[in-house]
Amino acid sequence: MFAVHLVAFYFSKLKEDQIKKVDRFLYHMRLSDDTLLDIMARFQAEMQRGLGKDTNPTASVKMLPTFVRAIPDRSENGEFLSLDLGGSKFRVLKVQVSEEGKQKVQMESQFYPTPNEIIRGNGEELFEYVADCLADFMKTQGLTHKKLPLGMTFSFPCWQTKLEEGVLLSWTKKFKARGVQGTDVVSRLTKAMKNHKDIDVDILALVNDTVGTMMTCAYDDPSCEVGVIIGTGTNACYMEDMSNIDLVEGDEGRMCINTEWGAFGDDGALEDIRTEFDRDLDLGSLNPGKQLFEKMISGLYLGELVRLILVKMTKAGLLFGGKKSSSLHTKGKIETRHVAAMEKYKEGLANTREILTNLGLEPSEADCIAVQHVCTIVSFRSANLCAAALAAILTRLRENKKLVRLRTTVGVDGTVYKIHPQYPKRLHKVVRRLVPNCDVRFFLSESGSTKGAAMVTAVAARVQAQRKLVDQVLALFRLTREQLVGVRDKMRAELEYGLKRDTHLLATVKMLPSYVCGMPDGTEKGNFLALDLGGTNFRVLLVKIRSGRRSVRMYNKIFAIPLEIMQGTGEELFDHIVQCISDFLDYMGLKGVPLPLGFTFSFPCRQTGIDKGILIEWTKGFKATDCEGEDMVDMLREAIKRRNEFDLDIVAVVNDTVGTMMTCGYEDPNCEIGLIAGTGSNMCYMEEMRNIEVVEGDEGKMCINTEWGGFGDNGCIDDIRTQYDKEVDEGSLNPGKQRYEKMTSGMYLGEIVRQILIDLTKQGLLFRGQISERLRTRGIFETKFLSQIESDRLALLQVRRILQQLGLDSTCEDSIVVKEVCGAVSRRAAQLCGAGMAAIVEKRREDQGLEHLKITVGVDGTLYKLHPHFSWILQETVKELAPKCDVTFMLSEDGSGKGAALITAVAKRLQQAQKEN
């Protein structure tokens, strides 16, 4: 028993001594956590350099855009070919992907050798060989005369400008075929395939093996957004935000970046980490000074590193009694598979003895323990370095998503990771130690990167087909110049019909006289009360106008109009309005003060005087009964009488558009047009009295309230109305009416978007084909969301959050499509508004007999004010369709309430002038 303990003690002491000896010799290969965190920070900085347009040329980590913009969503289906060139073997694969909830992938594959004379010979011969192998596989599988999409895994650094194109930057590993660097490998293979007339292949995607690995794993786990290869070579890829990739146009969505991390340190950034053994290995490689990080990590080099260390230790008399063998001095005699075998848990020492003996050495027990520990240090350093770079990528992902804690999956492939008994455990442990705020799942790619290339191709085919369908929908909203000119000319014709006595009643653009016959001249003064009714809120204002300085001070209070009042009886509506006026007068201490009042009433009215307005029809959701056909001023006076608390002098009833024009006209005498682009849409302008046949008199001008929202109610713009416009119209309170307004105003744009999203979801193009209850809800998609989603400052992640608030669980790709839909709908609205405005300004120019017109348009409305692009598109459209008019757009800061007070003031001034005359 004592003897057993003695032997055990001796062996334990021997092992301890040998480990200490090796540790001393390989001191620089053992990396502390602080060193790894430092390497991680260096790699993060190098990634940033690789992504920058100006810094990329000198960056060692090239961060190559792959143009893979989406991961599988499990709706992919069809038959695809894939080939994988880049390792010790060349593989061709047929992949059958089926959907319908089965999520099934069937594969047939064939391996072909990659002889040295091919991979180090002439480039043309290399691609002819690949084409011959592909043709052989297709014949074997009975796939000749059948057109199939193909994905190509090409495991070398390539510069891509699209998914199906890649210019080889440099060969790595053992490949050295001449005349390929700097050329497009897809074109080279396509050319070689032309020799085989019986095969028809369409190369849809060129991907790196790392990207293939990520895509393979992502098919089974949609959380996978990182791919890592630790095999013959090493590399990583991950999904980066487009807004961070300077090398590619566009900010929307994400794109997979192939880091090509094997070249990290080629600029000297890792010189303090590299050892004499790394330098010796590099000098003896095919590409000295390149892929220095890879040479410390990957399977092609780990065995050779171990061999070089053993040679040095033997020379120093630390191993094999200082006796060398010719095999130990022969490059490539120790491979990574030997390193893995020597590190096996139980049989490791026996394997070590056998491997060393086969090298012509006579190892002692102590030698075997020492050599095994050398292998451990070399492979552990490899896992540590890999973990540091991977931790940098995970940190970047977490920061991009602005998360405190990241949950993600890393897809992994490669012989080192797969066959080395300790490697995965070591890698996982160090990654979790370096990034404790990341929950990482490591997913082993069982089918290799070749299946990944087929998945990229399947995704590309799906995205291509989906893109085509989405584009067909968006094309309906893209108006040609010819169509816009048509809208302008039809609007012009309708304006003329509305002004003429014979056609006025039949015109869709009502051209209502407002009886506002003058603009402010700066002499107006006094205190005025103004009311503003036109939406869900009602405003009461006290406006104090001081003459001379053009000074206006306003005090106002906003009151809500509940839905039951909006859609109740007329009497209830006006009683509510008078209650609000009473509250305001109490609040301001003005009860009993006789004040002139201007009433902004933003609905179509036929006026027979400035203080007489007969409601033609309700719009914007109002449905109060017993109002249409009645004089709104009389109804207000009756309600004031019923309350019997105060009396007011109602001087003018005006439309909000007229109020906007008057507000801006007070500041700019050139302002003769008013535009509202908000909840509703309307326009007014100063017309020559001689052109207004429905009003007596030819002298001077009068403001015409066009009520252009009804343009097209006679079907004249049906050629540009879409099925979505018709659905919105049919579901509205006034079907068949206000068609132009329903294509241009804030009340309806969000609803048009909602109808499009429902249709795209039904086609399986959005939200995984699932129409949520929220999406079915009318009015959920308010126009303010369009403004937010289209904001240039808004990252796609924030768009997703807005959609999540609406109960729409969107992917990154969904968010891009939603943003495009919003853009198409709002752009068309702005262009249609611009075409209508062009008709007006051209009419004013021709009426005045001018070669060139200079005019100002006063504008108000939330759509114009808050939407990031609406105002600019509208202005550009006017410029294009009315080139002889110099139009200035002036924003009305104080709204239509101030305009009502100004109209009242102008009316009072004109009344006074009449009396004096």
Side-chain angles (χ1 to χ4, degrees):
M1 189 69 182
F2 175 72
V4 171
H5 281 298
L6 194 63
V7 169
F9 173 76
Y10 167 75
F11 188 77
S12 173
K13 186 80 173 68
L14 178 69
K15 187 172 183 182
E16 190 182 314
D17 289 346
Q18 294 306 309
I19 286 172
K20 280 181 181 173
K21 176 176 74 177
V22 173
D23 281 347
R24 280 194 300 272
F25 194 79
L26 298 179
Y27 173 77
H28 288 297
M29 277 193 162
R30 297 176 68 82
L31 305 173
S32 69
D33 277 5
D34 283 346
T35 304
L36 292 177
L37 287 167
D38 183 40
I39 292 167
M40 178 179 152
R42 293 184 214 179
F43 189 73
Q44 279 178 299
E46 205 54 36
M47 286 169 78
Q48 192 60 45
R49 279 168 51 76
L51 288 169
K53 192 180 256 180
D54 298 333
T55 48
N56 175 271
T58 56
S60 61
V61 179
K62 284 300 175 194
M63 304 295 281
L64 303 172
T66 65
F67 292 83
V68 172
R69 297 172 186 264
I71 60 171
D73 69 357
R74 306 184 191 189
S75 69
E76 293 78 15
N77 68 332
E79 205 170 30
F80 306 92
L81 286 173
S82 177
L83 56 88
D84 186 354
L85 181 66
S88 49
K89 288 177 184 172
F90 164 54
R91 187 183 184 197
V92 185
L93 191 78
K94 180 188 83 169
V95 181
Q96 178 76 48
V97 185
S98 53
E99 53 160 353
E100 295 153 8
K102 295 174 189 168
Q103 198 189 328
K104 195 175 170 189
V105 179
Q106 293 175 307
M107 298 188 292
E108 300 281 341
S109 71
Q110 172 75 46
F111 284 97
Y112 295 90
T114 48
N116 273 341
E117 62 271 20
I118 291 291
I119 65 173
R120 295 188 189 180
N122 183 287
E124 209 162 295
E125 288 169 5
L126 170 65
F127 288 106
E128 281 171 3
Y129 175 72
V130 172
D132 291 344
C133 295
L134 180 62
D136 174 72
F137 177 79
M138 290 182 77
K139 280 171 192 159
T140 308
Q141 294 290 324
L143 299 172
T144 49
H145 306 294
K146 188 174 183 181
K147 188 173 180 71
L148 287 172
L150 179 140
M152 181 179 177
T153 303
F154 192 71
S155 311
F156 306 96
C158 282
W159 180 257
Q160 289 187 260
T161 52
K162 45 190 172 184
L163 186 58
E164 68 280 14
E165 181 186 278
V167 174
L168 177 67
L169 296 176
S170 62
W171 287 116
T172 57
K173 293 167 270 198
K174 291 182 177 178
F175 281 68
K176 268 286 189 185
R178 297 183 300 279
V180 183
Q181 270 181 249
T183 65
D184 175 21
V185 294
V186 174
S187 300
R188 299 290 291 269
L189 180 57
T190 305
K191 185 183 173 188
M193 286 193 302
K194 283 179 181 167
N195 297 329
H196 298 274
K197 306 294 181 193
D198 52 344
I199 67 169
D200 189 2
V201 170
D202 185 13
I203 304 176
L204 284 189
L206 175 78
V207 297
N208 181 277
D209 54 346
T210 325
V211 181
T213 295
M214 183 188 78
M215 294 297 271
T216 300
C217 298
Y219 186 72
D220 297 309
D221 181 351
S223 301
C224 183
E225 48 190 348
V226 183
V228 176
I229 297 271
I230 314 160
T232 310
T234 183
N235 194 11
C237 69
Y238 72 103
M239 296 301 286
E240 176 62 86
D241 289 357
M242 280 289 290
S243 55
N244 296 330
I245 308 171
D246 287 354
L247 306 163
V248 178
E249 289 295 317
D251 286 337
E252 303 304 337
R254 302 201 298 169
M255 183 182 286
C256 182
I257 289 290
N258 165 23
T259 65
E260 287 298 338
W261 75 9
F264 178 39
D266 286 6
D267 57 355
L270 295 176
E271 281 312 296
D272 56 328
I273 306 297
R274 292 175 74 224
T275 65
E276 57 181 302
F277 312 110
D278 297 309
R279 293 185 179 94
D280 289 347
L281 181 142
D282 178 45
L283 286 171
S285 69
L286 286 170
N287 54 351
K290 293 184 177 175
Q291 300 295 106
L292 298 182
F293 191 60
E294 183 171 75
K295 286 170 183 170
M296 293 192 272
I297 291 175
S298 79
L300 189 62
Y301 304 103
L302 292 185
E304 184 60 11
L305 264 178
V306 168
R307 188 189 71 79
L308 289 170
I309 294 166
L310 298 187
V311 168
K312 281 271 171 83
M313 288 184 77
T314 307
K315 272 185 184 173
L318 298 171
L319 285 176
F320 316 126
K323 292 175 186 173
K324 298 170 256 179
S325 73
S326 59
S327 290
L328 185 62
H329 275 266
T330 306
K331 185 180 172 183
K333 277 293 182 179
I334 298 180
E335 297 173 20
T336 299
R337 64 188 172 92
H338 298 134
V339 176
M342 287 190 271
E343 283 197 73
K344 280 199 173 167
Y345 178 58
K346 286 184 178 171
E347 60 265 42
L349 276 176
N351 290 343
T352 305
R353 181 177 293 281
E354 185 185 335
I355 289 162
L356 294 174
T357 304
N358 289 341
L359 289 171
L361 299 162
E362 295 177 9
S364 65
E365 195 70 36
D367 290 334
C368 291
I369 292 168
V371 170
Q372 189 183 46
H373 194 52
V374 168
C375 294
T376 299
I377 287 175
V378 169
S379 62
F380 217 128
R381 184 185 70 156
S382 165
N384 278 341
L385 290 171
C386 213
L390 180 54
I393 289 173
L394 293 168
T395 300
R396 185 168 182 91
L397 273 176
R398 184 180 61 77
E399 288 172 354
N400 282 352
K401 293 182 179 187
K402 296 179 174 59
L403 295 173
V404 175
R405 191 164 196 86
L406 173 75
R407 290 179 70 87
T408 193
T409 299
V410 176
V412 198
D413 201 358
T415 47
V416 173
Y417 187 88
K418 282 180 174 175
I419 68 164
H420 192 290
Q422 315 296 332
Y423 202 97
K425 190 168 65 180
R426 290 170 184 167
L427 177 72
H428 303 172
K429 196 173 176 183
V430 179
V431 166
R432 285 172 183 140
R433 214 164 60 230
L434 294 177
V435 279
N437 48 4
C438 297
D439 297 324
V440 187
R441 179 189 183 207
F442 289 86
F443 194 107
L444 185 63
S445 168
E446 296 295 344
S447 314
S449 53
T450 324
K451 174 186 167 186
M455 293 316 306
V456 173
T457 309
V459 170
R462 165 178 66 79
V463 169
Q464 208 175 64
Q466 289 178 341
R467 184 73 252 172
K468 196 174 175 183
L469 292 169
V470 170
D471 283 343
Q472 282 172 6
V473 170
L474 296 181
L476 300 171
F477 292 85
R478 292 192 185 109
L479 300 176
T480 62
R481 190 178 191 283
E482 188 182 359
Q483 286 173 314
L484 289 170
V485 167
V487 171
R488 179 196 68 189
D489 295 346
K490 287 170 188 172
M491 176 68 84
R492 176 68 186 271
E494 286 294 316
L495 298 175
E496 302 292 357
Y497 292 152
L499 288 171
K500 293 194 180 346
R501 188 177 284 108
D502 297 342
T503 51
H504 174 77
L505 293 174
L506 299 171
T508 59
V509 180
K510 289 299 175 194
M511 304 297 281
L512 304 172
S514 69
Y515 291 85
V516 171
C517 298
M519 298 293 286
D521 65 1
T523 64
E524 296 78 16
K525 61 181 179 179
N527 294 343
F528 303 89
L529 204 61
L531 311 179
D532 186 1
L533 178 69
T536 50
N537 290 329
F538 169 61
R539 274 199 313 160
V540 186
L541 305 93
L542 174 68
V543 183
K544 296 184 174 183
I545 304 173
R546 300 286 171 267
S547 65
R549 299 195 310 275
R550 288 186 182 263
S551 162
V552 176
R553 291 180 69 188
M554 295 194 299
Y555 308 86
N556 73 86
K557 202 166 183 188
I558 296 172
F559 301 89
I561 306 278
L563 187 65
E564 61 271 20
I565 297 287
M566 285 168 67
Q567 298 181 7
T569 67
E571 198 168 288
E572 287 167 343
L573 173 62
F574 280 93
D575 283 347
H576 179 76
I577 287 170
V578 171
Q579 172 69 56
C580 297
I581 297 169
S582 175
D583 290 350
F584 180 76
L585 292 173
D586 280 339
Y587 173 71
M588 295 298 296
L590 291 171
K591 275 267 177 80
V593 178
L595 290 170
L597 181 144
F599 185 12
T600 300
F601 188 75
S602 309
F603 303 93
C605 282
R606 181 166 285 107
Q607 288 189 252
T608 54
I610 198 164
D611 62 346
K612 297 187 186 306
I614 295 161
L615 177 65
I616 296 171
E617 61 184 346
W618 284 118
T619 57
K620 293 180 269 195
F622 276 73
K623 270 286 184 184
T625 57
D626 307 320
C627 292
E628 291 178 2
E630 297 297 324
D631 185 344
M632 296 298 96
V633 175
D634 285 347
M635 289 191 79
L636 178 58
R637 283 181 179 137
E638 289 297 322
I640 292 170
K641 274 183 194 170
R642 277 197 299 277
R643 190 165 186 92
N644 198 24
E645 272 186 21
F646 50 84
D647 198 16
L648 296 168
D649 176 16
I650 305 172
V651 175
V653 59
V654 298
N655 182 276
D656 55 346
T657 325
V658 182
T660 295
M661 181 188 76
M662 292 298 273
T663 301
C664 295
Y666 189 66
E667 307 290 335
D668 180 354
N670 246 355
C671 181
E672 289 198 342
I673 300 176
L675 170 67
I676 295 281
T679 309
S681 178
N682 195 16
M683 194 273 309
C684 71
Y685 71 105
M686 295 302 286
E687 177 61 273
E688 308 297 328
M689 280 293 291
R690 66 176 184 272
N691 294 333
I692 310 170
E693 294 184 6
V694 291
V695 177
E696 293 299 318
D698 286 342
E699 295 302 317
K701 295 178 188 176
M702 182 185 286
C703 180
I704 291 290
N705 166 24
T706 64
E707 287 299 338
W708 74 1
F711 174 51
D713 289 0
N714 59 359
C716 70
I717 54 170
D718 278 2
D719 58 318
I720 58 168
R721 287 178 80 227
T722 66
Q723 70 190 73
Y724 311 107
D725 296 307
K726 289 167 189 167
E727 283 162 0
V728 169
D729 180 39
E730 283 160 15
S732 70
L733 289 167
N734 53 351
K737 294 180 178 178
Q738 299 294 106
R739 290 182 179 180
Y740 182 66
E741 182 171 73
K742 285 170 186 170
M743 296 164 81
T744 56
S745 78
M747 187 163 182
Y748 301 101
L749 298 190
E751 190 58 16
I752 296 171
V753 168
R754 189 182 73 87
Q755 292 294 345
I756 298 169
L757 298 188
I758 287 173
D759 184 41
L760 293 177
T761 308
K762 279 179 184 171
Q763 294 184 55
L765 305 174
L766 276 180
F767 311 130
R768 301 175 183 86
Q770 303 296 312
I771 302 177
S772 66
E773 278 309 309
R774 292 275 283 161
L775 191 56
R776 292 180 203 276
T777 309
R778 185 175 300 283
I780 176 191
F781 214 97
E782 295 172 43
T783 300
K784 70 173 181 181
F785 294 128
L786 267 77
S787 300
Q788 290 170 5
I789 286 169
E790 286 189 70
S791 169
D792 295 327
R793 297 187 305 276
L794 211 60
L796 221 56
L797 202 63
Q798 291 163 292
V799 174
R800 286 180 74 181
R801 286 200 187 116
I802 291 168
L803 294 173
Q804 279 163 2
Q805 285 168 24
L806 295 169
L808 305 172
D809 184 20
S810 70
T811 63
C812 200
E813 291 71 41
D814 289 341
S815 302
I816 293 171
V817 173
V818 170
K819 194 165 184 176
E820 285 182 298
V821 169
C822 292
V825 170
S826 60
R827 182 178 182 81
R828 184 190 67 163
Q831 287 179 316
L832 287 173
C833 245
M837 182 58 70
I840 302 282
V841 294
E842 271 298 301
K843 174 173 168 41
R844 292 299 297 133
R845 184 183 69 79
E846 288 174 19
D847 283 351
Q848 293 173 62
L850 297 172
E851 182 61 33
H852 194 88
L853 173 72
K854 191 174 173 65
I855 197 165
T856 298
V857 177
V859 199
D860 202 354
T862 49
L863 192 57
Y864 188 92
K865 283 180 173 177
L866 303 179
H867 191 281
H869 310 302
F870 189 93
S871 58
W872 174 78
I873 295 166
L874 187 152
Q875 290 169 28
E876 287 300 305
T877 307
V878 174
K879 240 184 238 177
E880 189 182 347
L881 299 183
K884 293 180 179 178
C885 300
D886 180 7
V887 184
T888 301
F889 287 82
M890 181 180 182
L891 203 56
S892 167
E893 295 299 337
D894 304 308
S896 49
K898 175 180 168 184
L902 284 165
I903 289 166
T904 306
V906 170
K908 279 292 199 187
R909 170 169 61 80
L910 295 175
Q911 281 172 13
Q912 189 62 36
Q914 272 182 334
K915 277 181 189 174
E916 287 169 5
N917 286 337

